[in-house]
Amino acid sequence: MRTLVRFAIFFPVAFLLQLAAFTYAQSASSGTISGTITDPSGAVVPGATVTIDNPVSQYSRREITDRSGQFRFPNVPFNPYHLTVAKTGFASAVQDIDVRSVVAVNTSIALQVGGASSTVTVEAAGDLIENDPTFHTDVDRDMFIKVPLESQSSTLSSLVTLTTPGVAADSNGLFHGLGDHASNSFSIDGQSITDQQSKVFSNQLPANAVQSMEVISGAPPAEYGGKTSLVIAATTRSGQGMTKPTGQIDASYGSFGSATAGFDLSYGAKNWGNFLEADGLDTGRFLDPPEFTVFHDKGNLLNIFDRVDYSFTPKDSLHLNLNYSRSWFQTPNAFDNLNVQNVVSGGTNANPIFANVGDTDQRSKIGTFNISPTYTRVISKNAVLNFGAWARKDLYNYYPSGNPLADLGPPNLQTSSISQTRTLLNTAVHSDLSYAKGINNIKIGAQYGQTFLREHDYLGVVDPTYNAPCVDVNGNPLPGYANQSACDGVVSFPNPAYLSILGPYDLTRSGTEYAYFGHTDVKELALYIEDQIRAGNWNFNLGLREDVYNGLTDANQTQPRLGIAYNIKPSSTVLSVSYARTLETPFNENLVLSSSGCSNAVLAPLLLCTPGVAGTLQPGFRNEFHASLQQAFGRHAVVSGEYIWKYTHNAFDFSVLGNTPITFPIDWHNSKIPGYAIRAEVPVVRGFSAYFVASSVAARFFPPQSAGAGATVGQSGFPFRIDHDEKFNQTTHLQYTLSHASVLSGLWGGFNWRYDSGLVAGSVPCYNPTGANSPCGGITLPNGQPGVDLSGLTFDQQFQAGILCDGVAATPNSGFTACDNAGYKSNLVQIPAPNTEDDDHNPPRVSPRNLFDASLGKDNIFHKEHYKLDLDLTAINFTNKYALYNFLSTFSGTHYVTPRALTAKVTLNF
């Protein structure tokens, strides 16, 4: 009742704010720098070169003053910048500018005639450090276009993984930020996207459309809600001010038959601009497969992005983003999915006939469109009002094999054939008022959104022994038999676990598919106010947010967001602490299926529902604390570090339906996530630049499971590490460009070293029959030795885990039912020593891996002035490391890292 009352109060307030702003609005993720250049007498100076740059993010732009001596940089990402003015006959001038609001930064600079350069310092800019209590990473396009990226179909995700500390790398372009499953959100030019952007859920924004990113891993400011472990605030590319059309055409070809083609074009004038981008991919390795050998893994992707900017008057402007993406891809097969044996006739007889029904052939198709207009009104030199809206839709189709009986997988993976059509339509309106004057930088905003979820699922049992009406004398399920009355009482007996309700949907016994339709409309309202107060060396971030969630269940949360930073200028040090309270909302993907499936008698056994677990997922809440330090070393290096501690009540994770991409959210009682993140940066010095990111973040979850469909972990009742917990990871990136005048000018090279200590692999068999927090168990072999039971894994799964028994390695066609402790080992997974496994303190893990990537390129090969041809070569995993991302993960199964992949790319710039 209290939630409904609050909703009734806040909705009219939000509506009035938006109505008031309807004729005035702007993109909330970037600002503007403008000004006038004069000579000592006050006369304007046309033709002066004005440059802004950030040495850390490597953002750089240049403009020429017009006849009135004015310059303007629109669409500038929030950051501090060096502004340099140069003009023949005058001394150069330098200013430090800090862009922290959509309110334009205006400056006037008077050049001196001849002599030495003059410098004007604007408060709180600094060289390499930012006096900001929110720990974040800044990455500009000039940096990331030369970083070798592992995933061609999820370039934005790969970029975040390789440049941001605190991120655990997972398969299929998925990344886990700061110990959470996928509690990440994107803010694209002010549009909030909190739904998952992994390539098995949605088609994400192409990296070629992005100008710069700010990845927030510290306590989120009040303007961000929903999924805030990582907030990726991206500013897209704009054509405004491009009086001469510029762009590029590129194409590449590489390993696995991977081919790409794309183009972009920027053009416009002082008052308008357009940026258009399109690209396509066709590859034989679209997803990360469960085998290092690549087969049944084809896929293709198409992206189209268009950004339009138009200024009606000096005070009124429009910004519009349009995006369409389409992907089609196969679900990669394991060797277990080849030549599947299943019932071909006589399914209801006592002796059904089995034969080869073909290979598993499951596929997916995802279509995504997005439209996001924003209108901006400049109220005064200190205030800007925005109004925006958006509609974004994902249409996901999952197709089973042509013969559904071929979908039969190992008993511990898939017993049903499944197809799905799912839509997610997210709509919202939002407005915000920014006011910057003196020490205050205030932002007040409201957002109302509605997400329409529609889930159509069709399921049929394809395992003839999964729900067998009859069992043999030893209790083993028997294929065949139409019902329990057909058991003869001699060789077949009624199965006490038989579920008659599943009988009509058993495809091996002439059944039909069960149709399920789930839908809901999730309504969310947010109001927030925040102020960044700069007082001397102090910087205070003060914010308050109210979220009201109304979906399958109701919740509301008042959330303070606080941060304090202090700049010790003599030592170039910034110390900061911050705190955030957040409302944690359920993931939308298959939310209805997970919330209601366990109350459905047909679905409950197929979803492995846990008895006593409530169905509907409840929003949770979190308290998180951060303490960080920044230290600059002259102008040549800066190091940042952060300690994190998060406590979540109702912590979300995912589980998966069989060997499919159909995953659904589940809810645990609570989680505790401590850890640290480090980033070191060396800005460009004589063509050389480098960065280093590292982190260690625990992901400790505590039973019981409180909501959602079935889970395969956490059944002991003790704390456990979720499957994206990782002790340590790091990325080191080195880059060098030859810029001196010579035939080699424009030659560059980039190098990545990625180390991962390994995600949790809780499904690996081990030995610990007495451990209180261990599911390992153990057996005694016929010779009396203690042994490990391997019968729960197929031979192929043992091969995938790199298991060896007494020096003999499992293969896809041969393996073990058991192994003695002394001879039980693995090449790909770290197995705890006998009697030491503990789900919280010593779980099995994927073995550590070092992956090395490199790129080499030559810009402007023929040294042309207008049409410049670039060539670059990229090698991913050039040592061909044989390693796993994960093994039988509760979220996504088993996946290998990319084998050595070589790609050549040619680009024409004009």
Side-chain angles (χ1 to χ4, degrees):
M1 185 65 183
R2 181 182 301 174
T3 300
L4 294 177
V5 171
R6 290 197 179 196
F7 194 88
I9 293 173
F10 285 133
F11 179 75
V13 174
F15 179 78
L16 290 174
L17 275 174
Q18 293 152 359
L19 184 62
F22 185 76
T23 55
Y24 315 111
Q26 162 173 327
S27 168
S29 63
S30 60
T32 300
I33 300 175
S34 61
T36 304
I37 308 302
T38 62
D39 63 16
S41 69
V44 299
V45 179
T49 301
V50 184
T51 304
I52 60 172
D53 68 271
N54 181 291
V56 176
S57 72
Q58 299 187 23
Y59 180 93
S60 181
R61 284 173 63 183
R62 186 178 68 175
E63 292 288 343
I64 306 297
T65 56
D66 60 18
R67 294 179 179 179
S68 59
Q70 295 182 342
F71 66 90
R72 186 171 183 268
F73 294 96
N75 199 43
V76 178
F78 295 160
N79 256 325
Y81 297 94
H82 286 297
L83 184 150
T84 305
V85 184
K87 173 69 174 177
T88 303
F90 294 90
S92 61
V94 178
Q95 251 190 30
D96 283 337
I97 302 290
D98 203 3
V99 179
R100 286 295 168 196
S101 170
V102 294
V103 178
V105 177
N106 295 290
T107 184
S108 296
I109 299 177
L111 299 180
Q112 302 300 313
V113 177
S117 300
S118 61
T119 302
V120 179
T121 302
V122 175
E123 184 68 22
D127 291 329
L128 300 180
I129 58 175
E130 295 183 59
N131 192 16
D132 187 345
T134 302
F135 191 82
H136 63 274
T137 300
D138 297 311
V139 185
D140 188 69
R141 181 168 184 79
D142 288 343
M143 177 190 294
F144 67 66
I145 59 175
K146 294 179 180 179
V147 175
L149 299 178
E150 186 275 334
S151 176
Q152 290 181 302
S153 53
S154 294
T155 51
L156 203 57
S157 294
S158 292
L159 184 62
V160 172
T161 301
L162 292 174
T163 59
T164 306
V167 175
D170 208 337
S171 55
N172 297 330
L174 188 72
F175 57 89
H176 304 290
L178 302 177
D180 282 297
H181 160 72
S183 184
N184 317 305
S185 63
F186 287 83
S187 178
I188 310 296
D189 293 335
Q191 176 187 354
S192 177
I193 302 175
T194 59
D195 298 309
Q196 294 200 74
Q197 296 294 285
S198 164
K199 66 177 102 172
V200 295
F201 289 109
S202 178
N203 299 309
Q204 62 186 221
L205 184 74
N208 193 40
V210 176
Q211 176 59 53
S212 64
M213 296 191 310
E214 180 186 49
V215 185
I216 299 172
S217 52
E223 63 186 286
Y224 300 112
K227 312 289 187 298
T228 56
S229 279
L230 279 182
V231 178
I232 300 98
T235 302
T236 60
R237 300 168 68 184
S238 172
Q240 189 163 358
M242 297 285 186
T243 55
K244 179 181 179 181
T246 61
Q248 67 177 36
I249 302 171
D250 62 76
S252 72
Y253 186 80
S255 302
F256 315 115
S258 298
T260 69
F263 80 92
D264 64 67
L265 178 64
S266 302
Y267 59 96
K270 181 178 180 180
N271 296 328
W272 67 276
N274 190 79
F275 171 79
L276 176 64
E277 188 271 352
D279 62 82
L281 164 70
D282 187 80
T283 179
R285 192 183 188 279
F286 192 88
L287 298 181
D288 295 309
E291 309 286 354
F292 196 69
T293 303
V294 180
F295 57 94
H296 196 267
D297 199 6
K298 294 180 180 179
N300 53 64
L301 174 68
L302 170 68
N303 290 307
I304 302 174
F305 175 83
D306 190 27
R307 168 172 171 162
V308 180
D309 295 279
Y310 186 77
S311 297
F312 299 97
T313 70
K315 292 187 175 182
D316 299 286
S317 60
L318 173 70
H319 164 86
L320 174 65
N321 283 355
L322 301 168
N323 182 215
Y324 174 74
S325 298
R326 177 197 176 276
S327 61
W328 176 93
F329 50 92
Q330 296 173 320
T331 299
N333 281 346
F335 289 116
D336 279 334
N337 299 119
L338 304 181
N339 300 316
V340 177
Q341 301 292 310
N342 211 331
V343 175
V344 293
S345 65
T348 58
N349 299 331
N351 296 293
I353 297 174
F354 284 78
N356 182 356
V357 293
D359 299 341
T360 305
D361 182 23
Q362 300 168 342
R363 295 139 290 133
S364 297
K365 182 177 72 173
I366 306 175
T368 303
F369 81 78
N370 185 79
I371 177 171
S372 176
T374 305
Y375 205 92
T376 299
R377 171 70 175 183
V378 178
I379 299 175
S380 69
K381 66 177 183 179
N382 302 116
V384 173
L385 189 61
N386 286 327
F387 175 77
W390 69 74
R392 183 183 62 86
K393 184 174 183 178
D394 286 325
L395 173 58
Y396 176 86
N397 290 280
Y398 177 71
Y399 306 102
S401 301
N403 181 351
L405 295 177
D407 288 337
L408 174 64
N412 56 358
L413 276 185
Q414 187 159 347
T415 58
S416 305
S417 178
I418 305 162
S419 64
Q420 182 180 77
T421 298
R422 185 181 78 239
T423 60
L424 185 158
L425 174 61
N426 180 251
T427 60
V429 290
H430 65 103
S431 64
D432 58 77
L433 172 66
S434 296
Y435 178 83
K437 186 175 183 180
I439 66 173
N440 298 99
N441 188 345
I442 301 171
K443 189 173 185 179
I444 304 172
Q447 178 176 306
Y448 175 74
Q450 194 160 349
T451 301
F452 303 88
L453 303 177
R454 303 292 182 265
E455 302 169 10
H456 297 261
D457 298 283
Y458 301 88
L459 301 93
V461 175
V462 294
D463 184 346
T465 62
Y466 171 71
N467 188 48
C470 304
V471 296
D472 64 16
V473 68
N474 295 316
N476 299 311
L478 294 170
Y481 302 97
N483 49 55
Q484 290 188 311
S485 63
C487 307
D488 60 17
V490 178
V491 297
S492 60
F493 305 88
N495 182 358
Y498 177 67
L499 300 173
S500 59
I501 195 169
L502 288 182
Y505 313 110
D506 190 332
L507 303 186
T508 71
R509 295 176 171 87
S510 304
T512 59
E513 292 181 326
Y514 174 75
Y516 168 81
F517 174 59
H519 65 94
T520 191
D521 301 341
V522 179
K523 307 173 186 66
E524 295 178 271
L525 173 68
L527 298 174
Y528 64 88
I529 181 171
E530 59 189 19
D531 188 9
Q532 186 175 89
I533 303 171
R534 295 181 181 270
N537 293 346
W538 294 93
N539 187 3
F540 302 90
N541 280 0
L542 308 177
L544 187 67
R545 181 183 179 93
E546 178 74 24
D547 276 310
V548 179
Y549 177 90
N550 185 354
L552 294 173
T553 186
D554 297 342
N556 61 271
Q557 189 70 228
T558 302
Q559 306 153 66
R561 312 283 178 89
L562 308 171
I564 303 173
Y566 183 74
N567 188 354
I568 307 174
K569 291 185 176 180
S571 63
S572 299
T573 305
V574 174
L575 304 175
S576 62
V577 293
S578 55
Y579 163 78
R581 173 89 165 194
T582 61
L583 176 69
E584 300 296 304
T585 55
F587 298 104
N588 285 323
E589 293 80 8
N590 293 308
L591 173 63
V592 185
L593 175 67
S594 186
S595 294
S596 63
C598 290
S599 61
N600 183 306
V602 175
L603 294 178
L606 301 178
L607 295 174
L608 303 177
C609 293
T610 304
V613 175
T616 305
L617 282 87
Q618 304 286 330
F621 63 86
R622 166 178 293 165
N623 291 298
E624 59 180 281
F625 302 86
H626 301 256
S628 61
L629 176 146
Q630 295 180 64
Q631 179 63 59
F633 300 91
R635 295 178 178 271
H636 301 297
V638 59
V639 177
S640 303
E642 177 187 38
Y643 176 77
I644 308 137
W645 191 90
K646 301 189 291 186
Y647 176 88
T648 307
H649 180 77
N650 277 1
F652 295 109
D653 188 26
F654 261 78
S655 192
V656 64
L657 189 58
N659 184 34
T660 74
I662 300 177
T663 57
F664 46 84
I666 58 176
D667 207 349
W668 295 101
H669 182 270
N670 67 281
S671 70
K672 294 179 182 179
I673 300 176
Y676 66 83
I678 300 172
R679 180 178 176 89
E681 187 92 22
V682 177
V684 179
V685 178
R686 296 185 177 181
F688 174 80
S689 64
Y691 68 79
F692 165 83
V693 296
S695 60
S696 177
V697 183
R700 302 182 65 220
F701 278 61
F702 295 77
Q705 182 185 348
S706 54
T712 58
V713 296
Q715 306 305 319
S716 66
F718 291 93
F720 63 96
R721 301 297 178 104
I722 212 74
D723 55 12
H724 52 263
D725 175 281
E726 188 167 44
K727 290 183 177 180
F728 182 76
N729 61 59
Q730 71 85 28
T731 301
T732 299
H733 174 74
L734 308 175
Q735 191 165 304
Y736 182 72
T737 302
L738 282 171
S739 56
H740 58 274
S742 73
V743 69
L744 297 178
S745 176
L747 183 68
W748 60 270
F751 172 80
N752 280 351
W753 168 31
R754 173 76 183 190
Y755 171 80
D756 288 272
S757 65
L759 302 179
V760 169
S763 297
V764 176
C766 49
Y767 184 88
N768 190 1
T770 61
N773 191 19
S774 173
C776 290
I779 60 174
T780 301
L781 300 178
N783 61 7
Q785 288 183 294
V788 178
D789 183 5
L790 298 175
S791 62
L793 299 182
T794 67
F795 295 160
D796 185 32
Q797 289 169 345
Q798 295 174 27
F799 166 72
Q800 292 168 4
I803 288 176
L804 299 93
C805 183
D806 297 323
V808 178
T811 72
N813 300 310
S814 66
F816 320 99
T817 57
C819 186
D820 61 283
N821 280 346
Y824 179 54
K825 302 184 185 307
S826 171
N827 291 328
L828 298 176
V829 179
Q830 288 185 320
I831 304 171
N835 298 309
T836 66
E837 197 279 341
D838 183 286
D839 278 1
D840 188 14
H841 300 295
N842 189 29
R845 291 181 180 274
V846 170
S847 295
R849 63 179 181 270
N850 290 285
L851 299 178
F852 301 98
D853 310 323
S855 55
L856 179 68
K858 177 69 167 65
D859 295 339
N860 198 7
I861 295 175
F862 301 112
H863 302 280
K864 298 294 184 180
E865 183 66 26
H866 299 295
Y867 295 97
K868 302 176 182 179
L869 192 68
D870 302 339
L871 175 66
D872 61 81
L873 307 172
T874 300
I876 299 298
N877 187 14
F878 61 74
T879 63
N880 205 31
K881 177 68 174 180
Y882 182 71
L884 288 167
Y885 275 119
N886 42 37
F887 176 72
L888 290 182
S889 161
T890 57
F891 166 66
S892 58
T894 299
H895 300 95
Y896 282 84
V897 302
T898 305
R900 181 189 295 120
L902 306 177
T903 303
K905 181 180 179 182
V906 62
T907 304
L908 175 64
N909 300 282
F910 58 89

